[in-house]
Amino acid sequence: MPPTPRDTPVVFTKGLTKVFRDFWMRSRVTAVDHLDLEVRPGEIFGLLGPNGSGKSTTIKILLGLLHKTSGVAAVFGKPPSDVAVKERIGVLPEESYLYPYLNAIETLDYYGKLFEIPRRDRERRSNELLEMVGLASVAHRPIHEYSKGMQRRIGLAQALINDPEFLVLDEPTSGLDPIGAKQVKDLIVSLARRGKTVLLSSHQLSDVEDCVDRLVILYGGKKRAEGTCEELLTARDAMSLETDTLDEETITELERILAAHGHGLRRVAKPRQRLEDLFMSIVDQARAERLETGGAQAGGATAAFLVGEAQPERGERLIERLVADAHAPEPEEPQPGSASAPPPDEDARIIESLVADEHPEPESAATPEPSGEPGASAPEQTPSDEPDLGVIESLLSPGDEGSAADGEGRGP
């Protein structure tokens, strides 16, 4: 499916309504009430609201997991039930339902197979994602041994395994420590810069404020506010001034000047840094001192395939060709004395060893050494300029039986 044009909304709803009914088809609760949304390509869109406001229901309708009662809903210009759009979407649900006895590598490989990603790409992406989310050192541990924060990390990795155009994140920082939460926010911003579209639903309002372009606040299934953080959060009835530290005399003089113009000085206080900034500065200092920790490691750089970096082939095309050749009809044995084939490279030797059990190689065409035992027939030989020493020795050996036996297999 071709990419969505920049002027086509990734998500579009008009009058979207979802009513849950009881057994007798009586209206029980209206989860979404005539909701109008428009998520543009390449933007980070925040979907906010308290519990029961309709956020999760809206997301499930957009993913085709629930059917709307009325209204219009479209993703990439298609109905949410259209299977063709699924490969372009990555989803991190509020609760990560993972197979507990698979490890991290097996989990990512499983989800990669669902998207029919080739094996070599699955392996490369899995390694890059585990490094990115800080789980490379525990990649072989079963998922049921992971903490909640570690499970959110692997859940985020599986949401990115197909390199989606549209990423749906429901409470992505739930259970994460401040280090992981900051990494997720930085990742969301970097993905949007690359042109991906992100729908972010979270109760952590500070996380949303740090990265969204626009947001909607829901209550009772209805839209109560919409706009950018700048539009919604800027105070209209107050203004702050930041200066160097002032003494009491200067502050008193400012109060007098403001009063002369009909204004008052509401508050005088020193600015305070954010708690997240203080926390991260302490962590960075501890890392600089190389202090050990038993938790998940800090994530690495964004996975190369997510930022569009070219990947080396590393002999993968050759390996695929050799695997295909292993199932082809066996070639005829080369005759002794013919020009020898060039030695196989390292990739060929590896793949030949992998398929040896299922497809044994034909016996070597090299001339076996003569056994020297009476009655053993010598292999057929093609004419050669070099003397056959084995034949000469058999002719010189005593006994008519051995000579007759040796003579049966000789050529002219």
Side-chain angles (χ1 to χ4, degrees):
M1 181 177 292
T4 302
R6 298 295 299 179
D7 56 348
T8 303
V10 174
V11 172
F12 177 80
T13 69
K14 184 71 174 178
L16 182 62
T17 301
K18 176 61 181 178
V19 179
F20 289 99
R21 306 179 185 276
D22 61 12
F23 177 80
W24 307 106
M25 299 303 294
R26 295 174 299 188
S27 298
R28 184 161 54 92
V29 60
T30 302
V32 181
D33 192 359
H34 294 85
L35 180 62
D36 296 344
L37 285 181
E38 185 174 312
V39 181
R40 303 159 190 160
E43 80 171 342
I44 306 172
F45 190 88
L47 193 62
L48 308 180
N51 291 333
S53 61
K55 304 188 305 298
S56 296
T57 301
T58 301
I59 290 175
K60 290 178 181 179
I61 293 175
L62 295 177
L63 296 177
L65 302 177
L66 288 177
H67 295 289
K68 58 184 174 56
T69 302
S70 62
V72 176
V75 180
F76 292 114
K78 303 287 185 178
S81 58
D82 194 325
V83 179
V85 303
K86 305 301 182 183
E87 64 180 357
R88 305 169 67 185
I89 302 175
V91 182
L92 175 63
E94 184 175 1
E95 294 291 338
S96 298
Y97 300 100
L98 304 171
Y99 291 96
Y101 294 101
L102 296 181
N103 60 35
I105 294 178
E106 294 167 340
T107 297
L108 296 183
D109 186 71
Y110 168 75
Y111 284 99
K113 287 180 179 178
L114 294 181
F115 286 102
E116 299 182 349
I117 300 173
R119 177 185 55 80
R120 67 177 187 275
D121 291 336
R122 293 199 308 269
E123 293 177 356
R124 186 184 72 248
R125 292 185 181 188
S126 297
N127 293 330
E128 292 175 357
L129 287 170
L130 290 175
E131 184 68 28
M132 183 186 75
V133 300
L135 295 178
S137 61
V138 291
H140 296 282
R141 286 175 54 184
I143 297 297
H144 70 85
E145 296 183 3
Y146 282 6
S147 65
K148 181 178 180 180
M150 295 168 71
Q151 290 187 15
R152 294 306 282 172
R153 290 171 183 259
I154 190 62
L156 178 62
Q158 67 85 19
L160 295 169
I161 188 67
N162 61 319
D163 192 13
E165 298 176 45
F166 179 39
L167 188 59
V168 180
L169 304 177
D170 195 357
E171 301 292 344
T173 59
S174 175
L176 293 179
D177 57 21
I179 304 173
K182 186 177 187 305
Q183 180 194 4
V184 169
K185 291 186 290 185
D186 292 342
L187 173 63
I188 292 172
V189 173
S190 66
L191 292 176
R193 287 174 180 168
R194 192 196 163 198
K196 296 184 182 298
T197 306
V198 181
L199 178 61
L200 173 61
S201 175
S202 177
H203 290 134
Q204 304 295 329
L205 302 184
S206 59
D207 295 343
V208 177
E209 182 181 354
D210 288 340
C211 57
V212 300
D213 299 313
R214 291 189 305 123
L215 60 90
V216 160
I217 299 178
L218 303 179
Y219 189 90
K222 294 183 178 182
K223 181 169 60 177
R224 300 294 176 171
E226 181 178 9
T228 65
C229 290
E230 186 70 20
E231 295 170 348
L232 298 178
L233 301 180
T234 300
R236 307 299 178 185
D237 59 347
M239 182 174 291
S240 61
L241 301 175
E242 185 172 341
T243 70
D244 298 331
T245 302
L246 303 177
D247 54 32
E248 291 296 331
E249 182 180 350
T250 304
I251 294 175
T252 302
E253 181 67 17
L254 285 176
E255 289 179 334
R256 185 187 65 78
I257 295 174
L258 291 173
H261 292 79
H263 301 289
L265 188 60
R266 295 186 180 181
R267 180 174 178 267
V268 178
K270 292 184 178 181
R272 188 176 68 171
Q273 66 174 326
R274 300 175 59 195
L275 181 60
E276 181 182 75
D277 296 335
L278 173 62
F279 184 93
M280 293 306 301
S281 66
I282 294 175
V283 171
D284 291 340
Q285 181 180 355
R287 287 176 180 168
E289 298 173 1
R290 300 183 181 277
L291 298 181
E292 295 184 359
T293 177
Q297 300 297 318
T302 303
F305 75 93
L306 293 176
V307 296
E309 293 182 4
Q311 297 293 330
E313 293 191 15
R314 296 160 50 187
E316 292 146 346
R317 294 182 183 273
L318 174 61
I319 293 177
E320 287 188 349
R321 179 175 61 81
L322 291 172
V323 172
D325 291 344
H327 298 273
E330 299 290 350
E332 296 182 359
E333 295 183 3
Q335 296 297 327
S338 61
S340 60
D345 58 13
E346 184 63 24
D347 292 328
R349 284 195 293 269
I350 293 174
I351 199 61
E352 287 172 358
S353 66
L354 292 175
V355 301
D357 294 338
E358 186 176 356
H359 301 279
E361 295 181 355
E363 296 181 359
S364 174
T367 304
E369 296 181 0
S371 62
E373 297 178 358
S377 60
E380 294 183 0
Q381 300 290 335
T382 58
S384 173
D385 294 336
E386 299 293 333
D388 192 338
L389 299 180
V391 175
I392 295 175
E393 291 179 357
S394 64
L395 292 174
L396 296 176
S397 60
D400 295 334
E401 181 180 355
S403 300
D406 289 334
E408 292 178 0
R410 290 198 303 271

